[in-house]
Every structure is written in C-alpha cells, then in structure tokens.
Amino acid sequence: MEKELPRNTKVVIIGGGIAGCSVAYHLAKYGWKDVVLLERDQLTSGTTWHAAGLVSQLGPSAAVTKIRKYTTDLYKELEKKTGFSAGLKLNGALSIATTKERWQELQRQATTAQLFDVYVEVLNIDQIKKIYPVINEKDILGGIFMPGDGQADPIGVTNLLAKAAKELGVQIFEKSPVEKIIVKNGRVSGVKVNNKIIECEYLVLATGMWSRQIGEDIGVSIPLYPAEHFYIITEPIKDLPKDLPVLRDFDDSLYLKEDAGKLLVGIFEGKSIPAFSKTNRIPNDFSFGEFPENFDHFEPYLEASFKRVPLLENAGVRKFFSGPESFTPDTNTLLGEVPEISNFFVCCGFNSIGIGSGGGAGKVTAEWMLNGHINEDLFIYDIKRFQKFHSKLKFITERITETLGDLYGMHWPYKQHKTSRNQKLFPYHEELKKMGACFGVSSGYERPLWFALNNEKPEFKYSYNYQNWYPAVEFETKNARKNVGLFDLTAFSKYDLKGQKTHSELQKICTANVKDEIGKTTYTQMLNEDGGIEADLTVVCMDKNYFRIISSAANREHDKFHVLKYLSKEVEFKDVTDEIACLGVFGPKSRSLMLKLSNDDFSNENFKFGTSKKITINNKEIWTQRLSYVGELGFELYIKMNEAREIYNLIVEKGREFNLSNCGMYAMDTMRMEKGYLHWGHDITPEENQYEAGLRFAISYKKNIDFIGKDALLKIRDQKLKKKLIILSLKNNKPGFPLLLHDEPILCDGKIIGRTTSGNYSFNYKKNMAFGYVNLGFEVNSFIGKSLEIEVEKTKHESSIEKQPLHDPENKLLKG
C-alpha cells in the first residue's frame, strides 16, 4: 500500500540525490523531524547516480575543508550505525605535478592542510612509485598524498543517508514530481505534487542541474548549468593492484580510480561542452540519461592517460560514459536562503564533487535553516554572492565552458575568468582602457585592477612568486602617498533608506551609534544573533530621515539580504549601486586638486574627516564624503552615472598639475593593509567577532536600542578571547619571495598558533605584510623574544609583529 502524501509539513525538500537526502537526515537529526522529501523519479536519478564518487578532505578554505572532512566521517559513522554500506574505499589520493608552477601549488596545499588537521605527505618520485607502482614517472616533479581520501559508491551513500533519515522520521516519496512551488506574501507556502497541495514553512531545492530552470520559473536566480562530463571504465586489468589510491594528474586534466579490478579514467578539460544546447532546457524525464559517445573530444586525454599509466594502452574499454554535470560561475557550491523568497533554501551546484562534500553541505544547510544564519566563513558557497545576471542563459552557458576546466586548471593567485566578461561597464570604461587598465570583475563590473606602465600590455602573467603587475602597483601606491591617486569605487554596494523610522532601525542592525546629523558618517559592522560579523559598512546621513549604506562590491546581495531581513516595511529601501558612480580622489594633494575642480570650501575646518556634503563641479551637484579606504587625506565623489564620464575626464585633466595617477584595486588593497584596514571575507567574517578583530571602537552599548548580536557580544566581552588579529611582516623583504596570500600557517617556536588572512607587499615600506589571527592561549605580548614564522610552500619564513599599522598610525595625515 502506497503512503499518502501529507497535507502539511514543516519542510519540503525537492530532490532525492545526495544533497536532498543529506539535508533531510540532518534536519531530522537536529530535531526538525516533520520533513518530506519529494523525488520526481527515483533516488539518485539526475546526476548522483553516475558520479565518480571521489572523496577528498582538503578544500580551498577552512570551512570547506571542515565540510569535506565531516562528510567522510559521517559516511563511516552511518555505515556502523545502520549496517548499510556506502562503498567507502579510503586508499588515499595522490596528486602529481609535472610543471614547476603546479609543484608550487601542491606544496601550498600541503602547507595549508596543516591548519585544518588534514594529514598530507609530500612525496618524491621514488615514494610516488611505491604508492602507485603502475605510474610512468616521466616529467613528474613531485606529488602530495592524502591517506584519508578515496572514493565512495554514490548510490550506496545516497541510500545510506535516506535510510538514516527515514529512521529519524523523514518521509520520502519517489515518483512525486513537484508541479508548482507556491509562494504567498514573498514567503514559501507549499508545493503542488501529483495534483495535491502540501503546505510547508520551508523549502529546500536540491534538484541539481534542474535548479536553474525551476528557479527561473518562479523568479529565483540560481546560477548553474550542466556541461557534458566524460569518463571511461576499462575491462578488468590483470595484476592491477587493488589498493591503488585515486590519482589526479592535474596538468593532463585527468583523474583515475581503481574500480573492482578495472580503472575509471575521467577528465576535467580546459574547454567543456554545454549540455542540451539545442533547447537550453533539461528535459524533466532525463533521469538516468546519457549522451552519445564523443570519442573525438575524449581521445587526446585518453592518450595522455596511456602515457601516465602505460598498462591502459592494452586495456579494453567496457564503458564510455558521457552525461551532464552542473557547474556554477566560480566552481563553488550554492547554499543558503535565496534573496527573492523567504524560507526558500538551495543545496545544489556541486560541480562534480557532490559525493565528497554532500554530507557536510547537508549539515550546513540544516544549521542555516535552524539558526537563520551560519557562524562559519562560507561566503564562497552562499548563493547570495551572485546577482541575477549570473543565471542568464548567455552568461552561464558561456562561463561553464571555462569553469569545468577550473577544477583541474592552475589555481593561480589573482586569476580572472576570460568568459562572460563585459557584463557591466563604467561610463568612462574606454578612458580607463586608454590609460592602460587591466580589468577584473567585481560585482559584475569591469573594474581596473592596475594600470600598465610604458605602453606595456595590461595582461596578467600568472605566477606564485613575483607578480608582473608589481611595477604598476609600486608606482600607483607611491604616487598616491606622495601626490594624488584616482581610484574607482563605483562597484561598491550602495543602498538608500528613507522614512521616519530609518535611524532607529539602523541603530537596531548596526553595532555603532549611527550619527543622525546631516553630513555625518558612521563606520560600523552588522552582526548575526551570535555576534558573528555579517557586514562591514559605512552609514551616511544624507538628509532628514534619509541614510545611505555603503559596503563592499562583492557583498551586494548578501548585505542587502541582511539589511532587509531586519528592516520593517515602514522604511523605504532602494539599491542605488548601478545609478551612482563613485570616484576616490586620495593623497596629500587631493585637497589642492578639489579646489581646482570646485569653488566649495574644502578646508579642514569646514570639511572635517568623516563628514560629507554636496559640492558643485561643472554645475553638477555631487555628494562628497571625506573618507579614504587607503588611509590618506581624500574625498569620495558620488556622481550620477550619466554625468560620471564628464567628471572623470575633468579630474584627469585638472589632476595633471598635481601628478595625478589612475590607481587600481591592487594598489587600494595594498594601501589599506599599510593603514591596517580590514576586508570583509578575508580578515573579518561570521567566524569572527569585533573583539577578536580589534573593532571594539565600532560597538556602542550606550545607545538605547538593543542591536542585533548585542547579547552575544556582552557574553564575549566577559570571556577570554579565543583568537586575536595581528599584523605581521617578514624579515625577508623581497617582493613575491615568498608571495603572501592568505591561509598560511603562523608558527611560534615551531608550533602552529594561527593563520594569515591577507597578504601583500608594501613598496612604500619595503615589507611583506600579512594580517592573521593567533589562537587561544596566546597574547600578543607573549611573542616578544620568541621566534615567529609564516610557512609558505613548506618553507618557514621569519616574521615579526607590527605593533601598529605601517602607515600613519596616529591618523595625522588622514585627518589633517
């Protein structure tokens, strides 16, 4: 007798692959047992069933690594609890390098792994041969081996999670396609399935490659699309060792795994093929479908596999597989609540690594739903890192031709995508181009990163050492400190809030005491209920009952979502990011330049630091703020987009007298570190609180409104800090040797005590700089007289603590 669909439930999960079953299990485990999972066909249909099933622990960040480690541990634990096999086979994973640059990358990974308690062995050729005796060692420079990695059976793992979920009370219905998602008053209300309505409070979309089109049908942007993914399975190979680890040959775009006496050879090629290109829509009935063989596309990689593992050349091919795998614009998963509909969560976009991270991703999704936020740095997975244009067909189908290959391509520092560019251009884009701008994407905008000197091509030459743009940044940072620099800030997120209750509601969501006086600015953070830092921003009082929030470019949807979550309907909210350009005129000669541009009073007495007012340039009214993220005397000019080109050209023209230089984002990032300014997403995240980050000055306990996170902060205040942000510099002051980025271990007396969060080279102070957190039990003063080091590529570099920012620690230049 078939089970009856319930009339209502707390949560509906759509999709019975690895993701949906994992979310269901974790919700029930944490106490939300009133959960219904709906699968349109059978569990694992879609993409889960044909996954290669690779399991790896090390990810690009601490939080992602935690997700992957948890996943493997969960599968082991559930196997024991249920007596059901997940097909786990943890013979380790071996990654090899055949180029100097790849060898650097692997050694960086091995170094970072120490922070996350992932055991990694760095191997020479002889050690590689012992672990993988059938390999051809030609051209191999070295490798890294992770003994805790391996593989799992995708169908086995999914059914394991489904069984565990059912035992906790979850109801799973197969052959139950959702016909409609019902939304009322901007909130999930229910679903229609098999002509019946199930009312619900929450919905989780875990529908893999179908997610984009399902979202599109109800106005939700979900940026992913399937590409054709290829692998072969050989006939049984005589004398093939059964304990072979998974082999990753990144430089040849190959992965190989032993499979019951056979070898599976898969590829992540540099240019992929978008699936379903004739209709650009995935058929609803493509449950266990495959694509026709495309041997021409696969053949070069097959030949490369013969060279790497010669016994493959004489092995027969039992199965040639080609099927869809969905990819996102940046090869990272999509998790979290969507901005368009309340209580609508996603758990999809696993980019061919769903089996190895599905367990942890389900856990994080469940925690997100229960708490309304997460206390980990998972912005790289948050769907709100994207905007609506990212899911447009033209953008996403072009981008995935590149992002599939990104998995095994070089993960260069500062790497920029080549596809789907020029989505948003500044009005003066051509002028920037003529000035030698090398562009990068920020919030969809083509933003200058640096300006080429001496008519050189503004192109990256990627490296893990000295950067080819260093001469440009040296010139830009030195000139902005000596004369004046022109920085583009247009991509910064800008939101206007109006209404009688605006100030009181800002007081509720901001930690600082927001100044309610026209022209005054307030630097502040916004927190979640547990005191984690959700946003870093400036609030400006523009007029009576009229305020503007300015936050970083990349966080546009994330910060907007957080503000709207707590804002009442009595406050009018408008995202004005694309309506207003912003130019930063920064440097000791900035005041002199402004006097050439405008007849307004820019004296320190009448235009103090932290204030703002309307000025006139060329008969154009421009809101101007005396602030500077680079730590210099300076002014931010907010200009109507249609007037921005004219004003830009005038600044450049008048600026010649003061040796003005165009400056890019890399110069800005270097200068903000010289000044000791923090960057959300690197130095501050929901994992940190303001006490740990040295932002106590941005907390007001005196204001008469209990701001979000205040109770948690009061508890934190009375406890000993778990970690603390410090500024470090290396004793080796050669630029790019080593290249400091982030997530490098910080050591004291040979023991890891923390990690870096930002790195840069200061040409003004001739120092390799790093910001980082040191862990509990360590006080800054206790380091005095002890040996401090930062480890990069398995090499330790002596460093020392900077007790104050390198540049203008007393703010004399900034406020002068």
Side-chain angles (χ1 to χ4, degrees):
M1 183 174 166
E2 286 191 8
K3 289 185 298 179
E4 284 262 338
L5 288 167
R7 290 184 177 180
N8 55 67
T9 184
K10 189 175 187 70
V11 184
V12 165
I13 299 169
I14 309 176
I18 185 81
C21 291
S22 179
V23 175
Y25 165 72
H26 285 96
L27 283 172
K29 180 184 176 184
Y30 296 146
W32 283 17
K33 298 181 186 293
D34 192 8
V35 176
V36 170
L37 186 149
L38 302 172
E39 164 54 45
R40 116 201 106 69
D41 198 331
Q42 297 174 40
L43 295 185
T44 78
S45 67
T47 54
T48 297
W49 71 274
H50 63 69
L54 305 186
V55 175
S56 58
Q57 301 168 85
L58 190 59
S61 72
V64 173
T65 298
K66 197 187 292 185
I67 280 174
R68 294 184 182 181
K69 283 187 70 180
Y70 171 84
T71 297
T72 308
D73 292 341
L74 174 70
Y75 297 164
K76 291 179 192 172
E77 177 192 330
L78 289 181
E79 276 190 326
K80 288 178 184 174
K81 272 187 182 177
T82 64
F84 191 93
S85 174
L88 274 179
K89 188 176 171 185
L90 302 178
N91 290 335
L94 169 65
S95 298
I96 60 170
T98 59
T99 64
K100 177 189 169 188
E101 295 79 12
R102 182 71 72 178
W103 187 219
Q104 285 184 278
E105 181 177 301
L106 292 185
Q107 289 180 93
R108 278 182 177 262
Q109 288 181 12
T111 304
T112 303
Q114 298 171 108
L115 293 169
F116 312 140
D117 199 27
V118 175
Y119 181 61
V120 177
E121 298 174 22
V122 179
L123 307 181
N124 60 30
I125 303 299
D126 292 338
Q127 292 167 317
I128 289 170
K129 283 289 284 184
K130 282 182 183 175
I131 287 173
Y132 210 95
V134 294
I135 201 168
N136 173 10
E137 68 272 25
K138 188 184 178 188
D139 301 326
I140 296 177
L141 300 180
I144 60 172
F145 180 62
M146 286 167 272
D149 289 3
Q151 55 188 284
D153 170 32
I155 295 172
V157 167
T158 306
N159 284 311
L160 172 70
L161 287 164
K163 179 177 169 63
K166 284 177 183 176
E167 288 175 356
L168 291 172
V170 172
Q171 297 184 72
I172 296 178
F173 296 89
E174 296 181 290
K175 301 293 182 184
S176 300
V178 171
E179 297 151 24
K180 186 180 180 183
I181 295 170
I182 303 166
V183 179
K184 289 181 182 176
N185 300 318
R187 181 178 294 271
V188 165
S189 170
V191 295
K192 183 180 180 184
V193 54
N194 291 339
N195 287 317
K196 293 181 180 178
I197 302 293
I198 304 176
E199 294 179 352
C200 65
E201 295 176 48
Y202 292 84
L203 182 136
V204 181
L205 196 68
T207 49
M209 62 180 171
W210 285 274
S211 300
R212 194 199 72 84
Q213 64 198 44
I214 291 172
E216 185 178 46
D217 290 345
I218 54 170
V220 173
S221 175
I222 302 175
L224 56 74
Y225 194 84
E228 295 185 19
H229 183 51
F230 303 89
Y231 59 74
I232 63 158
I233 300 173
T234 70
E235 297 286 356
I237 299 173
K238 190 181 178 185
D239 301 326
L240 184 72
K242 295 284 189 284
D243 58 352
L244 280 180
V246 172
L247 174 64
R248 293 184 177 92
D249 180 352
F250 295 112
D251 296 317
D252 283 322
S253 308
L254 297 170
Y255 64 89
L256 296 89
K257 71 163 190 173
E258 190 274 334
D259 184 6
K262 307 178 285 292
L263 273 177
L264 181 150
V265 181
I267 62 171
F268 287 108
E269 68 273 32
K271 187 170 183 181
S272 69
I273 304 170
F276 308 104
S277 55
K278 287 183 180 178
T279 61
N280 288 323
R281 197 164 177 91
I282 297 96
N284 289 334
D285 61 355
F286 200 85
S287 297
F288 296 95
E290 299 180 34
F291 299 137
E293 291 184 9
N294 188 342
F295 194 74
D296 289 344
H297 185 80
F298 192 80
E299 187 176 21
Y301 305 97
L302 186 61
E303 288 179 1
S305 74
F306 293 165
K307 291 175 185 174
R308 186 57 58 213
V309 181
L311 58 74
L312 276 169
E313 196 159 6
N314 297 316
V317 175
R318 171 170 287 191
K319 171 74 175 173
F320 185 107
F321 177 80
S322 173
E325 286 274 5
S326 59
F327 288 81
T328 63
D330 61 2
T331 68
N332 288 319
T333 300
L334 304 175
L335 301 180
E337 190 174 3
V338 303
E340 298 92 344
I341 300 173
S342 294
N343 291 357
F344 186 126
F345 285 77
V346 293
C347 185
C348 54
F350 284 92
N351 306 282
S352 284
I353 51 174
I355 306 305
S357 53
K363 173 179 180 284
V364 165
T365 302
E367 291 171 342
W368 213 322
M369 295 170 72
L370 269 69
N371 300 325
H373 62 270
I374 48 168
N375 293 320
E376 294 173 286
D377 177 16
L378 273 174
F379 184 64
I380 65 167
Y381 273 9
D382 189 343
I383 190 170
K384 293 177 287 295
R385 70 189 184 274
F386 292 119
Q387 297 175 40
K388 282 200 176 290
F389 74 87
H390 286 110
S391 64
K392 298 295 183 188
L393 262 176
K394 188 175 185 304
F395 178 95
I396 193 66
T397 53
E398 182 185 336
R399 173 56 62 83
I400 66 155
T401 64
E402 183 179 6
T403 53
L404 180 145
D406 282 346
L407 286 182
Y408 278 21
M410 284 295 298
H411 301 98
W412 294 114
Y414 310 105
K415 185 178 179 182
Q416 296 292 315
H417 281 114
K418 294 179 179 178
T419 54
S420 301
R421 293 292 295 267
N422 296 323
Q423 300 295 312
K424 297 182 185 180
L425 303 180
F426 300 141
Y428 36 86
H429 177 81
E430 289 303 316
E431 281 83 350
L432 293 170
K433 202 171 175 181
K434 286 173 187 172
M435 292 286 185
C438 178
F439 294 98
V441 179
S442 183
S443 190
Y445 282 102
E446 294 292 332
R447 198 174 184 186
L449 302 176
W450 49 277
F451 290 82
L453 302 172
N454 306 317
N455 294 316
E456 291 182 5
K457 278 191 173 183
E459 294 176 353
F460 281 96
K461 295 176 183 173
Y462 292 119
S463 168
Y464 272 107
N465 297 116
Y466 185 90
Q467 302 297 301
N468 74 304
W469 42 264
Y470 273 171
V473 169
E474 179 175 8
F475 171 73
E476 291 167 27
T477 55
K478 284 183 174 179
N479 191 67
R481 293 269 184 248
K482 182 182 177 184
N483 297 305
V484 61
L486 179 58
F487 293 79
D488 192 278
L489 312 176
T490 300
F492 277 12
S493 304
K494 302 175 281 287
Y495 320 113
D496 282 1
L497 289 75
K498 296 179 181 178
Q500 284 191 348
K501 290 193 173 181
T502 303
H503 181 255
S504 62
E505 296 203 18
L506 280 169
Q507 291 282 60
K508 183 180 72 176
I509 60 177
C510 296
T511 60
N513 189 14
V514 177
K515 300 180 185 77
D516 190 10
E517 184 181 337
I518 296 169
K520 291 293 180 73
T521 67
T522 307
Y523 173 65
T524 183
Q525 284 78 47
M526 295 190 293
L527 312 180
N528 59 40
E529 285 84 350
D530 294 319
I533 301 172
E534 288 287 344
D536 184 57
L537 58 143
T538 299
V539 180
V540 188
C541 183
M542 307 281 289
D543 207 338
K544 187 179 179 182
N545 298 326
Y546 174 19
F547 292 80
R548 177 173 291 161
I549 289 174
I550 300 152
S551 67
S552 71
N555 302 359
R556 182 173 174 180
E557 292 298 328
H558 171 274
D559 290 0
K560 185 195 305 187
F561 178 85
H562 185 82
V563 172
L564 290 172
K565 182 177 179 179
Y566 297 106
L567 216 57
S568 76
K569 290 182 180 177
E570 293 178 65
V571 175
E572 179 190 330
F573 177 95
K574 187 179 181 185
D575 183 339
V576 295
T577 304
D578 296 333
E579 297 176 19
I580 302 168
C582 184
L583 295 169
V585 179
F586 303 142
K589 295 181 181 178
S590 59
R591 182 178 281 127
S592 301
L593 172 54
M594 293 304 295
L595 288 167
K596 286 283 184 179
L597 292 165
S598 171
N599 292 323
D600 288 270
D601 189 347
F602 294 92
S603 65
N604 199 36
E605 295 75 25
N606 291 300
F607 205 158
K608 293 185 182 299
F609 175 78
T611 65
S612 50
K613 64 182 181 181
K614 290 176 182 175
I615 67 166
T616 303
I617 299 178
N618 252 23
N619 298 316
K620 306 290 189 299
E621 200 174 73
I622 294 169
W623 184 266
T624 302
Q625 298 174 179
R626 196 180 149 194
L627 294 171
S628 161
Y629 191 45
V630 303
E632 286 291 340
L633 169 68
F635 304 86
E636 297 176 352
L637 280 61
Y638 291 82
I639 312 157
K640 291 176 184 173
M641 201 67 86
N642 63 352
E643 297 174 353
R645 186 166 177 258
E646 176 188 334
I647 301 301
Y648 170 84
N649 284 322
L650 188 65
I651 294 171
V652 171
E653 179 192 331
K654 299 289 185 184
R656 291 191 185 102
E657 182 182 337
F658 305 99
N659 294 318
L660 177 139
S661 59
N662 276 277
C663 299
M665 291 311 301
Y666 290 170
M668 177 175 279
D669 194 52
T670 300
M671 294 172 78
R672 68 96 185 168
M673 285 192 67
E674 291 174 340
K675 184 68 178 105
Y677 289 161
L678 307 184
H679 182 268
W680 193 94
H682 280 275
D683 313 308
I684 45 177
T685 74
E687 284 190 20
E688 286 79 40
N689 62 62
Q690 290 160 294
Y691 288 101
E692 294 168 338
L695 295 170
R696 167 67 183 85
F697 65 90
I699 306 170
S700 172
Y701 292 121
K702 292 180 181 177
K703 60 183 182 178
N704 59 2
I705 292 179
D706 288 338
F707 57 84
I708 306 299
K710 181 179 178 180
D711 290 343
L713 272 192
L714 287 169
K715 291 175 185 174
I716 292 166
R717 182 186 65 176
D718 298 333
Q719 298 170 356
K720 190 172 182 180
L721 288 181
K722 292 182 179 179
K723 60 183 179 181
K724 186 176 180 67
L725 185 81
I726 60 172
I727 302 173
L728 294 161
S729 64
L730 296 187
K731 293 188 177 177
N732 173 16
N733 292 317
K734 200 173 176 185
F737 298 94
L739 181 67
L740 294 178
L741 298 167
H742 50 81
D743 286 329
E744 294 106 356
I746 301 170
L747 301 97
C748 179
D749 291 340
K751 293 181 179 179
I752 293 176
I753 58 165
R755 65 180 180 91
T756 62
T757 56
S758 290
N760 252 317
Y761 184 80
S762 167
F763 291 96
N764 285 298
Y765 295 92
K766 294 183 172 57
K767 286 190 175 185
N768 275 304
M769 309 176 289
F771 292 173
Y773 285 92
V774 290
N775 296 331
L776 71 164
F778 293 92
E779 293 295 339
V780 173
N781 291 336
S782 71
F783 293 129
I784 295 171
K786 292 191 176 182
S787 172
L788 235 64
E789 297 167 311
I790 297 176
E791 188 172 342
V792 184
E793 292 175 28
K794 301 303 288 181
T795 300
K796 297 176 179 67
H797 301 267
E798 284 188 75
S799 65
S800 55
I801 292 176
E802 300 287 344
K803 292 187 179 179
Q804 59 186 19
L806 300 178
H807 183 72
D808 191 25
E810 295 177 2
N811 293 326
K812 289 179 180 177
L813 299 175
L814 186 69
K815 296 184 177 181

